[in-house]
Amino acid sequence: MAADGSAQDGVLVGLGEEPLRLRLDRANRHGLVAGATGTGKTVTLQILAQGLSDAGVAVFAADVKGDLSGIALPGAPNEKLLARAAKMALDLRPAGAPTLFWDLFGEAGHPIRATVSEVGPLLMSRMLELNEVQEGVLTIVFRAADDEGLLLLDLKDLQAALGFVGENASEIATRYGAVSKQSLAAIRRKLLVLEDQGAEAFFGEPALRLSDLMRVDGQGRGYVSILAADRLIRSPRLYATFLLWLLSELFEELPEVGDPEKPRLAFFFDEAHLLFRDAPKGLLEKVEQVVRLIRSKGVGVYFVTQNPADIPDSVLGQLGNRIQHALRAYTPADQKGLRAAAQSFRTNPAFDTADAIQALGVGEALVSLLDEKGAPGVVQRALIRPPASRLGPATPAERAAAMAESPVRGLYDEAKDRDSAHEELTARAEAAARQAQATAPRREVPSSARPRSNRQSASEAFTKSMLRTIGSQIGREIVRGVLGGLRRR
């Protein structure tokens, strides 16, 4: 380990009874960073991300509060940080990490998009908060669109596919199962809600290429991809579903590599409890499967949350590297979570783990990292190392400057809208209307039923006027003759 804490043999996390390093060959065994608000979780995430970047590992992290963006800039350590560095015999050299900024809404970073087909019916149902029946109907819509050759790229494509299924409900029911108008209408309404939350910007093309999240710069450092999530977190289902989709895509696309010398990518999932809140059983099983198997693809997943109890035991048991900041136990539920957190560590006879969790100060944590055999180390109370990059957010101007020099500049900034389900179904409807008009039989209209023109030529008007005049004169002569005859009598 170099004097500045750079990752030669591992990432320096902090100092306990000895320097505590995250081994690169065990970094794909996942991890947990937990602790109450204000105890230093974000700083721990930052030093892990930068340490992995220095070791050539690409990193993806959600920036929920906006202050993780400072990782792109050299730090300006204050006296407290310098004193902590001196206590750890650490030569603190300010430096930023190569950073890519991303934003689902395209405001504070490069846009991230995915097609509706890539997200799929299961995750889309989660995003729309559909019930079991509605999820089944949505699955039928996806299957019918696929069989019809209809590309589902954006939300208007999905709306068009819903309309297609509704118009052909009888045939669809014969092939796939019954589809009720009520379920289709409910899905349409929830799609409108999703659009109002800004999700329309996420669905479409050009879709994100995963290789752009695993870039390395000219110095061999991994790029840190920062997702601007301060706005996204206001739509928690969209936030959680997007990150789960990204994990699922990595799992599906990356080849098996077993246990590499270092990960291809480290994935930090902040506010991780949002992934599991009210999640249906099928989704939980998918999360567990992805977390269990994705490590052999060279991806380490690190959940960041307030309490380990926020994460199901089936997932928590797969998180080998653990950093626990302070917890507060004010309620019986808090006390239960505290005991569970303490029991998850390998006991250190030097202190009581549960008491230590409550007594930790800011910048301190209980740390247990995997050893060379993959076994959890004895828990140690440690000072977390200070970061070399800035504590606090990058300014809009600094963010814009980083984006101007980004290696993906121009690749995703402009949306594309090629022909897909919406355009195809619109073209079909127009063609059907033209065909119906062309083949409709022509009916001969009787002359008596033909509408008469309100317009007359000048000659027609003159002739009619003359006839009326002549008729009036003849009539007057007849009347005079009759009257004259009566008088003679």
Side-chain angles (χ1 to χ4, degrees):
M1 178 66 64
D4 63 351
S6 61
Q8 292 180 348
D9 302 314
V11 177
L12 179 63
V13 175
L15 178 65
E17 299 168 10
E18 59 188 2
L20 298 170
R21 301 181 180 88
L22 172 65
R23 293 179 61 93
L24 295 177
D25 59 356
R26 294 292 178 263
N28 68 322
R29 299 295 183 93
H30 312 319
L32 172 71
V33 179
T37 301
T39 56
K41 294 192 304 296
T42 301
V43 175
T44 299
L45 192 162
Q46 186 168 337
I47 64 107
L48 287 174
Q50 187 163 8
L52 288 165
S53 169
D54 290 342
V57 178
V59 174
F60 183 93
D63 188 9
V64 171
K65 294 177 289 186
D67 50 3
L68 191 57
S69 58
I71 197 171
L73 302 158
N78 56 31
E79 292 183 2
K80 290 184 178 180
L81 293 179
L82 290 172
R84 188 190 304 179
K87 189 174 182 179
M88 300 175 66
L90 179 67
D91 182 13
L92 189 59
R93 300 173 186 173
T99 305
L100 294 173
F101 290 108
W102 303 91
D103 184 0
L104 258 67
F105 307 106
E107 297 172 353
H110 302 293
I112 291 183
R113 300 183 189 88
T115 67
V116 170
S117 293
E118 287 174 333
V119 173
L122 176 62
L123 294 184
M124 183 65 74
S125 297
R126 161 74 168 170
M127 199 179 293
L128 296 174
E129 302 182 50
L130 302 184
N131 60 34
E132 187 175 350
V133 173
Q134 293 162 353
E135 180 183 331
V137 169
L138 188 63
T139 301
I140 289 174
V141 171
F142 272 73
R143 178 66 63 83
D146 187 51
D147 291 346
E148 286 288 322
L150 301 173
L151 294 176
L152 299 181
L153 302 181
D154 51 30
L155 290 186
K156 70 178 184 294
D157 290 329
L158 184 54
Q159 289 279 19
L162 288 166
F164 170 79
V165 170
E167 293 167 2
N168 299 275
S170 298
E171 182 182 349
I172 293 292
T174 302
R175 296 176 63 186
Y176 308 103
V179 175
S180 70
K181 293 182 179 179
Q182 293 82 357
S183 293
L184 290 171
I187 296 171
R188 284 181 175 275
R189 288 194 298 271
K190 293 188 176 184
L191 276 175
L192 292 176
V193 173
L194 196 64
E195 290 175 6
D196 289 342
Q197 294 177 353
E200 190 173 11
F202 169 56
F203 293 101
E205 292 182 317
L208 176 68
R209 295 182 304 190
L210 296 182
S211 58
D212 284 329
L213 298 181
M214 293 180 282
R215 287 178 171 267
V216 177
D217 74 357
Q219 302 176 43
R221 298 177 300 170
Y223 271 93
V224 179
S225 289
I226 299 294
L227 173 69
D230 47 344
R231 176 184 170 189
L232 180 61
I233 201 67
R234 296 178 223 159
S235 306
R237 285 294 176 95
L238 177 59
Y239 170 76
T241 307
F242 161 71
L243 292 182
L244 180 55
W245 164 78
L246 188 52
L247 271 180
S248 300
E249 286 294 295
L250 289 165
F251 173 69
E252 293 292 336
E253 292 194 17
L254 294 178
E256 294 279 342
V257 294
D259 283 323
E261 293 182 358
K262 60 184 178 183
R264 293 172 172 172
L265 177 70
F267 188 102
F268 289 87
F269 200 137
D270 201 0
E271 300 294 338
H273 64 282
L274 296 175
L275 178 61
F276 305 104
R277 180 184 294 171
D278 302 324
K281 182 180 178 181
L283 186 66
L284 288 176
E285 291 174 349
K286 183 175 180 63
V287 175
E288 180 184 352
Q289 178 196 41
V290 169
V291 173
R292 184 175 66 252
L293 299 178
I294 201 171
R295 74 183 191 186
S296 64
K297 307 293 184 88
V299 177
V301 183
Y302 291 76
F303 293 94
V304 184
T305 191
Q306 292 192 16
N307 196 313
D310 297 332
I311 300 175
D313 290 341
S314 58
V315 176
L316 192 62
Q318 300 179 52
L319 311 182
N321 300 292
R322 299 193 179 193
I323 302 173
Q324 176 69 62
H325 289 271
L327 284 177
R328 312 296 179 227
Y330 300 113
T331 68
D334 291 339
Q335 293 169 2
K336 182 179 179 181
L338 175 64
R339 288 194 298 271
Q343 292 168 1
S344 67
F345 286 105
R346 185 176 168 186
T347 304
N348 188 329
F351 57 85
D352 181 274
T353 307
D355 291 341
I357 291 176
Q358 298 180 81
L360 292 169
V362 176
E364 289 186 307
L366 297 185
V367 179
S368 174
L369 304 173
L370 297 179
D371 62 20
E372 67 278 2
K373 296 180 179 179
V378 172
V379 63
Q380 297 189 42
R381 183 169 179 169
L383 278 176
I384 300 299
R385 65 152 293 175
S389 52
R390 178 190 293 179
L391 281 175
T395 66
E398 290 166 337
R399 188 186 291 263
M403 290 179 62
E405 299 176 359
S406 167
V408 300
R409 181 169 61 93
L411 295 180
Y412 301 101
D413 298 334
E414 295 295 329
K416 297 179 182 178
D417 187 14
R418 62 184 171 117
D419 286 352
S420 45
H422 172 74
E423 290 78 12
E424 172 67 20
L425 291 173
T426 299
R428 288 187 191 181
E430 292 174 351
R434 289 194 298 268
Q435 181 69 16
Q437 185 177 10
T439 58
R442 295 184 178 182
R443 297 172 57 191
E444 289 294 330
V445 181
S447 59
S448 59
R450 293 174 185 166
R452 295 182 179 181
S453 172
N454 292 328
R455 297 182 179 180
Q456 306 176 56
S457 66
S459 60
E460 288 175 337
F462 176 76
T463 302
K464 290 179 180 179
S465 177
M466 290 297 296
L467 290 173
R468 285 195 297 269
T469 301
I470 294 171
S472 298
Q473 291 176 348
I474 293 173
R476 284 196 295 272
E477 292 297 328
I478 293 174
V479 171
R480 288 195 192 101
V482 172
L483 292 175
L486 290 174
R487 291 191 188 99
R488 284 194 295 271
R489 292 181 181 177

